């Protein structure tokens, strides 16, 4: 057995039992050549078994797999409580109401008063309507009926779903597409003197693009001959009889209600009475809901209970029309007269435009 010397004798050579001992300095020299090799082997074995135990104990039984993420990532800082368990046999409560295809659609016409009608109808508790125009049956049909229904508001028992897109009335494919959705759909068409409607249409376009040609230049193919350009949409929309012919190929006249845009301004409660009756609704919206706004020149909804102010249509409604030459207006009246007469006959209503 070797002798370990005190610190004061380190570095000196010691002879014991006839053998010379190396100076005591680094620890491996304490053990001598053989002891040093044994210590190295022992250290290697300790490291190997530590490595094997740490990596493989997590994988047993079976072959090893990557370490669980919980060993590689810090624990979450916030733990949310689990959701409360429902009583035995109970089911989650769905959102109130359900989405359904509209039972009634305001299909036309542009600049006829469709926005006013929709806003008046939304006062009725039995009506749930989409605010924006979906344009499904004219522009977005490829998105499918499921997408269309997803746009609809949720309704409760006794409520009806509505939407309005006035360009449907002049879209050739719209009647067939709506018929394929539901042949029982009720269709509302708000019509207005086609001459006034054309000027209003032009006024809206002019407000967005002040550089467009004059109304006269767009309305006539040849001003000297008085030939009307029916390819211009502002003129073409007002040929109501032609568009209605297309709709009557799919829907009977009984599915339609034709609302006078002029009477919607002069007698909103009267026209709303007809609309509510057509939709099978109790007459809730009456003259007590309206007042005439002298500045805008059309009726607005009175301040609702709990509301902050009366509801009028936006600034884009009631724009002043540009002055159109009298002979231009007269020529347009002459152009529309036979179409108006046919429309009166088809609908059984005289709108008094002539």
């Amino acid at each position: 057995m070797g002798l370990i010397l005190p610190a004061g004798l380190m570095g000196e050579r010691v002879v014991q039992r006839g053998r010379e001992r190396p100076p005591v300095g680094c620890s491996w020299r304490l053990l001598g050549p053989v002891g040093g090799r044994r210590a190295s082997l022992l250290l290697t074995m300790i490291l190997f078994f530590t490595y094997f135990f740490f990596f493989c104990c997590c994988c047993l039984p079976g072959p090893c797999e990557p370490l669980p993420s919980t060993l590689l990532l810090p624990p979450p800082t916030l733990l949310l409580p689990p959701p409360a368990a429902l009583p035995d046999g109970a089911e989650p409560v769905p959102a109130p109401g359900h989405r359904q295809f509209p039972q009634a659609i305001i299909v036309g016409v542009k600049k006829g008063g469709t926005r006013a009608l929709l806003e008046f109808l939304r006062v009725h508790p039995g009506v749930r309507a989409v605010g924006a125009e979906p344009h499904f049956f004219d522009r977005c049909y490829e998105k499918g009926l499921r997408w269309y229904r997803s746009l609809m508001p949720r309704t409760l028992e006794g409520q009806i779903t509505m939407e309005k897109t006035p360009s449907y009335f002049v879209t050739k494919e719209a009647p067939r597409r709506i018929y394929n959705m539901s042949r029982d759909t009720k269709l509302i068409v708000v019509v207005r003197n086609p001459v006034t409607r054309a000027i209003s249409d032009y006024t809206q376009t002019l407000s967005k693009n002040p550089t467009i040609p004059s109304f006269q230049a767009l309305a006539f193919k040849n001003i000297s001959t008085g030939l009307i350009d029916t390819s211009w949409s502002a003129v073409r929309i007002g040929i109501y009889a032609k568009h209605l012919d297309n709709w009557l190929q799919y829907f009977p006249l009984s599915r339609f209600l034709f609302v006078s845009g002029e009477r919607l301004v002069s007698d909103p409660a009267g026209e709303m009475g007809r609309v509510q009756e057509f939709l099978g609704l109790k007459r809730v919206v009456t003259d007590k809901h309206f007042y005439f706004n002298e500045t805008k020149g059309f009726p607005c909804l009175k301040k609702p209970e709990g509301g902050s102010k009366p509801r009028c249509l936006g600034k884009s409604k009631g724009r002043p029309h540009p002055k159109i030459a009298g002979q231009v207006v007269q020529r347009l009246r002459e152009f529309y007269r036979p179409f108006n007469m046919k429309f009166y006959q088809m609908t059984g209503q005289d709108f008094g435009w002539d």
Side-chain angles (χ1 to χ4, degrees):
M1 180 175 181
L3 178 65
I4 300 177
L5 298 179
L9 298 180
M10 289 183 68
E12 299 181 8
R13 303 176 79 77
V14 179
V15 178
Q16 184 178 5
R17 293 184 183 179
R19 290 188 297 178
E20 186 180 45
R21 307 297 294 173
V24 180
C26 298
S27 60
W28 65 271
R29 290 180 180 176
L30 276 171
L31 303 174
V34 176
R37 286 193 298 271
R38 289 177 178 173
S40 297
L41 179 60
L42 179 62
L43 179 60
T44 301
M45 292 177 67
I46 291 172
L47 290 174
F48 175 80
F49 281 109
T50 300
Y51 177 88
F52 181 85
F53 176 81
F54 179 77
F55 281 91
C56 291
C57 69
C58 301
C59 306
L60 296 176
C64 289
E65 297 174 357
L67 284 175
S69 59
T70 53
L71 296 179
L72 301 177
L73 298 176
T77 57
L78 177 63
L79 295 177
L80 298 177
L86 293 171
D88 292 342
E91 295 182 358
V93 178
H98 59 283
R99 304 183 196 279
Q100 55 187 342
F101 294 122
Q103 293 88 17
I105 303 176
I106 302 173
V107 297
V109 297
K110 180 183 179 184
K111 308 309 295 179
T114 58
R115 174 55 60 182
L117 176 60
L118 184 71
E119 292 306 312
F120 296 165
L121 275 170
R122 292 174 81 178
V123 175
H124 200 294
V127 173
R128 297 281 285 136
V130 182
E133 296 174 2
H135 282 282
F136 175 67
F137 295 105
D138 59 347
R139 301 179 189 172
C140 305
Y141 194 65
E142 71 282 354
K143 292 182 180 291
L145 286 169
R146 180 177 295 181
W147 176 85
Y148 180 55
R149 186 168 58 185
S150 73
L151 303 179
M152 300 299 123
R154 294 182 181 276
T155 53
L156 302 174
E157 187 69 28
Q159 292 181 320
I160 64 172
T161 303
M162 292 188 66
E163 70 116 316
K164 79 106 176 171
T165 305
S167 54
Y168 291 163
F169 191 63
V170 298
T171 300
K172 185 177 180 180
E173 299 81 11
R176 173 179 54 82
R177 291 170 174 175
I178 294 176
Y179 179 85
N180 288 338
M181 176 190 72
S182 172
R183 65 186 65 185
D184 296 323
T185 306
K186 294 183 177 182
L187 307 165
I188 300 176
V189 188
V190 187
V191 289
R192 181 184 183 188
N193 186 319
V195 177
T196 310
R197 198 223 65 83
I199 296 173
S200 181
D201 198 336
Y202 173 78
T203 302
Q204 183 182 54
T205 305
L206 184 65
S207 69
K208 299 176 182 178
N209 183 8
T211 63
I212 62 172
S214 67
F215 180 88
Q216 178 176 303
L218 293 169
F220 293 91
K221 285 185 177 180
N222 189 323
I223 188 62
S224 60
T225 62
L227 184 62
I228 301 295
D229 188 355
T230 56
S231 67
W232 184 32
S233 64
V235 169
R236 187 176 66 253
I237 290 172
I239 309 175
Y240 303 139
K242 177 182 177 181
H243 305 305
L244 183 56
D245 264 334
N246 185 39
W247 285 86
L248 292 178
Q249 295 179 32
Y250 296 90
F251 293 94
L253 198 63
S254 60
R255 306 307 301 175
F256 290 87
L257 177 69
F258 300 93
V259 176
S260 167
E262 287 83 9
R263 286 198 292 270
L264 199 59
V265 172
S266 63
D267 182 18
E271 283 300 281
M272 286 302 299
R274 295 180 59 238
V275 174
Q276 291 169 93
E277 182 181 357
F278 174 71
L279 295 175
L281 297 170
K282 182 179 178 181
R283 187 164 183 173
V284 172
V285 184
T286 62
D287 53 1
K288 69 180 182 181
H289 289 88
F290 302 99
Y291 78 96
F292 192 82
N293 187 303
E294 298 289 347
T295 303
K296 288 182 172 291
F298 52 76
C300 295
L301 292 166
K302 290 181 180 178
K303 176 181 176 181
E305 273 188 47
S308 58
K309 58 182 180 180
R311 288 169 53 190
C312 276
L313 299 181
K315 295 180 180 179
S316 64
K317 306 299 181 181
R319 298 187 188 96
H321 290 178
K323 188 173 182 179
I324 308 297
Q327 63 269 28
V328 173
V329 174
Q330 183 58 35
R331 178 66 190 95
L332 278 173
R333 285 175 179 166
E334 294 170 358
F335 167 78
Y336 281 121
R337 185 170 292 115
F339 297 109
N340 291 344
M341 294 299 106
K342 183 179 179 182
F343 186 65
Y344 296 170
Q345 293 173 356
M346 295 172 73
T347 60
Q349 293 179 234
D350 185 340
F351 292 91
W353 298 326
D354 296 287

